[in-house]
Amino acid sequence: MSPDPRRYVLTLSCPDTTGIVARISGFLSGIGGWITEAAYHSDPESGRFFTRQVIRADSLGFDVEELRRRFHTVGRELSADHVRVTDTDVRKRIVLLVSRQGHCLYDLLSRWHAGEMAADIALVIGNHDDLAGVAEMFGVPFAHVPVPAEAEGKRAAFARIAKLVDAEQPDAIVLARFMQVVPPELCAAWDGRLINIHHGFLPSFRGAKPYHQAYVRGVKLIGATCHYVSAELDAGPIIAQDVMPVDHTDSPADMVRRGRDIERAVLAHGLLAHLQDRVLRDGLRTVVFS
C-alpha cells in the first residue's frame, strides 16, 4: 500500500544560535514524524535561522492542531518570530486582481485547470470587465469593480474590493497585472499575502512603463519580478525574478511583447513557492527554499 500523500509543512525563523537543528530534529523524532523534506538557512548578515520541514501526516498519532500546539512550544523555546504548520489536505485559496491585459490571468488559470496548482482560485476581480469571459471560460466567478481616477471614487472602489477579497479568506491575493496602486491600509491588512508581478527587474525601473524606461536606458537585459506588496511602490520583498536578453534592434513594443513570457513564468513560480510555504521573510529580503 502506498503511503498517504497528506503532508504537514512546518516553517520557523528565529535568532541563530547553536543547537537549533538538533532541537527541531529531536522534536520531530520524538513525535514519530517521518521527514520527507528538510531545508535550512543560517544568515550571517541578519543573524537569523530559517527552516522548512515536511513530514508525513500518517506518521503521527495525533491531529494537526496538536502538532501546532507542540511546535509552537518549540518556537517559544527558540524565541522564534515565525512558527507555522500547514496541512496539504487544506487547499489554499487565491483571489486574482486584473485589469485589461490577460496573459498572466490566462497562464494562472491554465495551470490551475491542469492541476499544476494545488489551490482554489476563488474569485477574479477586474477594474475593467474585459477579462470576464476568460474567468467564465474556466468556471471562476468574476466581479467587476471599476476604479475611478478621482479620490473619493477610488476609496469607495477599494473598499468594495476589500470586502470581496476578505469574504474569500484567501491565502494569496495576486495582482496579475492589475495596474492599480493598492492603498497603504490594504497593503498592511494583506501583508505577506498580497503578491504582485512587476514587468521590470527590480529594484531597477520601478513604477509605470518599465520596458520604456529600459529602452531609454539601453539595457541589454529585461526582466520581471514577483514580490510581496508593501506601501512603498514596487519595493516589497522579492520572491522570484528572471531576465531575457534584448539588443538595439528591440523597440519598446518588442520588449513589452517578449516580456510577457517572463512575467507569466515568474508570477507562476513565485505564487507556487508562496502556496507551498517555501518563502520566509527576512526584513526586505526573502529566503525561498527550492
Side-chain angles (χ1 to χ4, degrees):
M1 181 181 295
S2 61
D4 186 342
R6 184 183 185 187
R7 299 288 186 265
Y8 296 142
V9 182
L10 298 79
T11 54
L12 177 146
S13 64
C14 65
D16 202 4
T17 187
T18 58
I20 300 174
V21 173
R23 178 67 184 95
I24 293 171
S25 299
F27 164 73
L28 293 176
S29 175
I31 62 175
W34 186 321
I35 301 171
T36 61
E37 291 183 53
Y40 309 92
H41 176 65
S42 173
D43 193 293
E45 294 297 324
S46 66
R48 302 198 61 75
F49 175 88
F50 305 85
T51 187
R52 177 181 183 271
Q53 308 278 327
V54 183
I55 62 174
R56 283 173 46 171
D58 61 3
S59 67
L60 301 185
F62 47 82
D63 64 14
V64 69
E65 289 304 324
E66 177 64 13
L67 174 60
R68 287 193 179 105
R69 187 188 68 78
R70 297 191 188 192
F71 191 51
H72 274 79
T73 298
V74 174
R76 285 192 294 273
E77 293 175 8
L78 297 172
S79 301
D81 58 5
H82 167 88
V83 183
R84 190 178 187 195
V85 177
T86 57
D87 182 348
T88 60
D89 261 15
V90 179
R91 290 173 65 86
K92 303 282 179 65
R93 293 177 64 77
I94 305 168
V95 172
L96 304 176
L97 274 63
V98 299
S99 188
R100 284 183 161 137
Q101 297 187 42
H103 54 287
C104 287
L105 178 64
Y106 271 108
D107 184 74
L108 292 178
L109 289 174
S110 296
R111 292 174 188 268
W112 168 73
H113 188 262
E116 296 177 15
M117 198 176 296
D120 294 323
I121 297 179
L123 179 66
V124 177
I125 302 172
N127 64 320
H128 300 278
D129 62 3
D130 300 48
L131 300 177
V134 179
E136 181 181 349
M137 181 171 63
F138 284 90
V140 177
F142 183 93
H144 177 212
V145 183
V147 180
E150 51 89 14
E152 189 61 36
K154 190 181 290 284
R155 278 194 295 271
F158 272 104
R160 186 182 171 206
I161 289 171
K163 187 174 181 180
L164 289 168
V165 169
D166 291 342
E168 300 298 338
Q169 299 183 309
D171 300 279
I173 304 118
V174 182
L175 308 181
R177 296 302 304 271
F178 182 49
M179 311 305 288
Q180 293 285 330
V181 176
V182 177
E185 61 271 19
L186 291 184
C187 293
W190 298 336
D191 183 50
R193 293 183 294 153
L194 186 58
I195 295 172
N196 183 48
I197 182 65
H198 179 70
H199 44 306
F201 193 75
L202 294 174
S204 299
F205 310 127
R206 296 183 186 182
K209 295 191 173 181
Y211 291 125
H212 293 74
Q213 295 179 50
Y215 174 81
V216 169
R217 187 62 184 82
V219 302
K220 304 309 178 190
L221 291 170
I222 58 171
T225 304
C226 177
H227 65 96
Y228 291 114
V229 177
S230 64
E232 184 181 352
L233 183 64
D234 297 331
I238 292 169
I239 305 170
Q241 293 182 295
D242 201 1
V243 295
M244 69 166 50
V246 293
D247 63 27
H248 59 278
T249 65
D250 288 301
S251 68
D254 293 329
M255 292 183 182
V256 169
R257 174 179 50 79
R258 296 180 61 194
R260 290 184 185 126
D261 288 338
I262 317 177
E263 294 165 34
R264 284 188 282 254
V266 169
L267 178 56
H269 178 73
L271 176 58
L272 191 59
H274 172 83
L275 293 171
Q276 293 178 344
D277 301 296
R278 297 185 181 276
V279 187
L280 277 72
R281 302 265 294 269
D282 186 14
L284 285 177
R285 302 174 66 242
T286 58
V287 173
V288 184
F289 291 116
S290 59

PDB file of all heavy atoms in Angstrom, residues 199-212:
ATOM      1  N   HIS A 199       6.616  44.182 -14.237  1.00  0.00           N
ATOM      2  CA  HIS A 199       7.231  43.932 -15.534  1.00  0.00           C
ATOM      3  C   HIS A 199       8.543  44.703 -15.669  1.00  0.00           C
ATOM      4  O   HIS A 199       8.769  45.457 -16.624  1.00  0.00           O
ATOM      5  CB  HIS A 199       6.266  44.241 -16.663  1.00  0.00           C
ATOM      6  CG  HIS A 199       5.481  45.507 -16.530  1.00  0.00           C
ATOM      7  ND1 HIS A 199       4.727  45.807 -15.420  1.00  0.00           N
ATOM      8  CD2 HIS A 199       5.333  46.556 -17.374  1.00  0.00           C
ATOM      9  CE1 HIS A 199       4.147  46.979 -15.582  1.00  0.00           C
ATOM     10  NE2 HIS A 199       4.509  47.459 -16.755  1.00  0.00           N
ATOM     11  N   GLY A 200       9.414  44.492 -14.693  1.00  0.00           N
ATOM     12  CA  GLY A 200      10.752  45.067 -14.695  1.00  0.00           C
ATOM     13  C   GLY A 200      11.600  44.312 -13.690  1.00  0.00           C
ATOM     14  O   GLY A 200      11.084  43.638 -12.792  1.00  0.00           O
ATOM     15  N   PHE A 201      12.921  44.412 -13.844  1.00  0.00           N
ATOM     16  CA  PHE A 201      13.841  43.709 -12.951  1.00  0.00           C
ATOM     17  C   PHE A 201      14.170  44.634 -11.787  1.00  0.00           C
ATOM     18  O   PHE A 201      15.110  45.424 -11.841  1.00  0.00           O
ATOM     19  CB  PHE A 201      15.107  43.299 -13.708  1.00  0.00           C
ATOM     20  CG  PHE A 201      15.969  42.326 -12.966  1.00  0.00           C
ATOM     21  CD1 PHE A 201      15.595  40.990 -12.870  1.00  0.00           C
ATOM     22  CD2 PHE A 201      17.140  42.729 -12.369  1.00  0.00           C
ATOM     23  CE1 PHE A 201      16.375  40.085 -12.183  1.00  0.00           C
ATOM     24  CE2 PHE A 201      17.940  41.822 -11.676  1.00  0.00           C
ATOM     25  CZ  PHE A 201      17.566  40.503 -11.588  1.00  0.00           C
ATOM     26  N   LEU A 202      13.350  44.533 -10.733  1.00  0.00           N
ATOM     27  CA  LEU A 202      13.525  45.403  -9.570  1.00  0.00           C
ATOM     28  C   LEU A 202      14.870  45.112  -8.883  1.00  0.00           C
ATOM     29  O   LEU A 202      15.353  43.976  -8.934  1.00  0.00           O
ATOM     30  CB  LEU A 202      12.373  45.180  -8.585  1.00  0.00           C
ATOM     31  CG  LEU A 202      10.992  45.606  -9.076  1.00  0.00           C
ATOM     32  CD1 LEU A 202       9.926  45.204  -8.059  1.00  0.00           C
ATOM     33  CD2 LEU A 202      10.925  47.104  -9.345  1.00  0.00           C
ATOM     34  N   PRO A 203      15.486  46.135  -8.265  1.00  0.00           N
ATOM     35  CA  PRO A 203      14.932  47.466  -7.984  1.00  0.00           C
ATOM     36  C   PRO A 203      15.043  48.476  -9.122  1.00  0.00           C
ATOM     37  O   PRO A 203      14.686  49.640  -8.927  1.00  0.00           O
ATOM     38  CB  PRO A 203      15.761  47.916  -6.777  1.00  0.00           C
ATOM     39  CG  PRO A 203      17.074  47.248  -6.967  1.00  0.00           C
ATOM     40  CD  PRO A 203      16.766  45.912  -7.566  1.00  0.00           C
ATOM     41  N   SER A 204      15.542  48.055 -10.290  1.00  0.00           N
ATOM     42  CA  SER A 204      15.582  48.978 -11.422  1.00  0.00           C
ATOM     43  C   SER A 204      14.190  49.160 -12.021  1.00  0.00           C
ATOM     44  O   SER A 204      13.368  48.243 -12.000  1.00  0.00           O
ATOM     45  CB  SER A 204      16.525  48.441 -12.502  1.00  0.00           C
ATOM     46  OG  SER A 204      17.832  48.306 -12.013  1.00  0.00           O
ATOM     47  N   PHE A 205      13.945  50.330 -12.556  1.00  0.00           N
ATOM     48  CA  PHE A 205      12.746  50.609 -13.354  1.00  0.00           C
ATOM     49  C   PHE A 205      11.443  50.329 -12.607  1.00  0.00           C
ATOM     50  O   PHE A 205      10.608  49.537 -13.021  1.00  0.00           O
ATOM     51  CB  PHE A 205      12.782  49.839 -14.678  1.00  0.00           C
ATOM     52  CG  PHE A 205      14.081  50.005 -15.411  1.00  0.00           C
ATOM     53  CD1 PHE A 205      14.812  48.913 -15.843  1.00  0.00           C
ATOM     54  CD2 PHE A 205      14.590  51.275 -15.641  1.00  0.00           C
ATOM     55  CE1 PHE A 205      16.016  49.072 -16.502  1.00  0.00           C
ATOM     56  CE2 PHE A 205      15.798  51.444 -16.311  1.00  0.00           C
ATOM     57  CZ  PHE A 205      16.517  50.341 -16.742  1.00  0.00           C
ATOM     58  N   ARG A 206      11.301  50.987 -11.468  1.00  0.00           N
ATOM     59  CA  ARG A 206      10.049  50.920 -10.726  1.00  0.00           C
ATOM     60  C   ARG A 206       8.987  51.749 -11.430  1.00  0.00           C
ATOM     61  O   ARG A 206       9.275  52.570 -12.278  1.00  0.00           O
ATOM     62  CB  ARG A 206      10.244  51.472  -9.315  1.00  0.00           C
ATOM     63  CG  ARG A 206      11.208  50.703  -8.434  1.00  0.00           C
ATOM     64  CD  ARG A 206      11.239  51.331  -7.053  1.00  0.00           C
ATOM     65  NE  ARG A 206      12.239  50.728  -6.187  1.00  0.00           N
ATOM     66  CZ  ARG A 206      12.434  51.068  -4.936  1.00  0.00           C
ATOM     67  NH1 ARG A 206      11.709  52.040  -4.388  1.00  0.00           N
ATOM     68  NH2 ARG A 206      13.364  50.477  -4.205  1.00  0.00           N
ATOM     69  N   GLY A 207       7.735  51.542 -10.996  1.00  0.00           N
ATOM     70  CA  GLY A 207       6.652  52.393 -11.461  1.00  0.00           C
ATOM     71  C   GLY A 207       6.167  52.050 -12.857  1.00  0.00           C
ATOM     72  O   GLY A 207       6.305  50.918 -13.327  1.00  0.00           O
ATOM     73  N   ALA A 208       5.622  53.048 -13.525  1.00  0.00           N
ATOM     74  CA  ALA A 208       4.948  52.841 -14.815  1.00  0.00           C
ATOM     75  C   ALA A 208       5.947  52.678 -15.960  1.00  0.00           C
ATOM     76  O   ALA A 208       7.060  53.191 -15.915  1.00  0.00           O
ATOM     77  CB  ALA A 208       4.016  54.015 -15.097  1.00  0.00           C
ATOM     78  N   LYS A 209       5.523  51.920 -16.966  1.00  0.00           N
ATOM     79  CA  LYS A 209       6.249  51.719 -18.218  1.00  0.00           C
ATOM     80  C   LYS A 209       7.721  51.339 -18.020  1.00  0.00           C
ATOM     81  O   LYS A 209       8.623  51.993 -18.547  1.00  0.00           O
ATOM     82  CB  LYS A 209       6.139  52.976 -19.092  1.00  0.00           C
ATOM     83  CG  LYS A 209       4.714  53.272 -19.543  1.00  0.00           C
ATOM     84  CD  LYS A 209       4.665  54.348 -20.605  1.00  0.00           C
ATOM     85  CE  LYS A 209       3.253  54.506 -21.146  1.00  0.00           C
ATOM     86  NZ  LYS A 209       3.173  55.539 -22.199  1.00  0.00           N
ATOM     87  N   PRO A 210       7.996  50.279 -17.280  1.00  0.00           N
ATOM     88  CA  PRO A 210       9.401  49.895 -17.062  1.00  0.00           C
ATOM     89  C   PRO A 210      10.117  49.468 -18.341  1.00  0.00           C
ATOM     90  O   PRO A 210      11.330  49.680 -18.454  1.00  0.00           O
ATOM     91  CB  PRO A 210       9.308  48.745 -16.070  1.00  0.00           C
ATOM     92  CG  PRO A 210       7.916  48.244 -16.181  1.00  0.00           C
ATOM     93  CD  PRO A 210       7.076  49.426 -16.531  1.00  0.00           C
ATOM     94  N   TYR A 211       9.389  48.866 -19.308  1.00  0.00           N
ATOM     95  CA  TYR A 211      10.055  48.492 -20.556  1.00  0.00           C
ATOM     96  C   TYR A 211      10.500  49.741 -21.323  1.00  0.00           C
ATOM     97  O   TYR A 211      11.575  49.758 -21.928  1.00  0.00           O
ATOM     98  CB  TYR A 211       9.125  47.650 -21.429  1.00  0.00           C
ATOM     99  CG  TYR A 211       8.834  46.275 -20.876  1.00  0.00           C
ATOM    100  CD1 TYR A 211       7.534  45.844 -20.677  1.00  0.00           C
ATOM    101  CD2 TYR A 211       9.868  45.395 -20.544  1.00  0.00           C
ATOM    102  CE1 TYR A 211       7.254  44.585 -20.173  1.00  0.00           C
ATOM    103  CE2 TYR A 211       9.596  44.135 -20.039  1.00  0.00           C
ATOM    104  CZ  TYR A 211       8.293  43.732 -19.848  1.00  0.00           C
ATOM    105  OH  TYR A 211       8.028  42.486 -19.349  1.00  0.00           O
ATOM    106  N   HIS A 212       9.694  50.775 -21.294  1.00  0.00           N
ATOM    107  CA  HIS A 212      10.067  52.020 -21.951  1.00  0.00           C
ATOM    108  C   HIS A 212      11.261  52.657 -21.232  1.00  0.00           C
ATOM    109  O   HIS A 212      12.169  53.199 -21.880  1.00  0.00           O
ATOM    110  CB  HIS A 212       8.882  52.976 -21.994  1.00  0.00           C
ATOM    111  CG  HIS A 212       7.770  52.514 -22.878  1.00  0.00           C
ATOM    112  ND1 HIS A 212       6.925  51.478 -22.526  1.00  0.00           N
ATOM    113  CD2 HIS A 212       7.366  52.937 -24.104  1.00  0.00           C
ATOM    114  CE1 HIS A 212       6.045  51.278 -23.486  1.00  0.00           C
ATOM    115  NE2 HIS A 212       6.293  52.156 -24.470  1.00  0.00           N
TER     116      HIS A 212
END
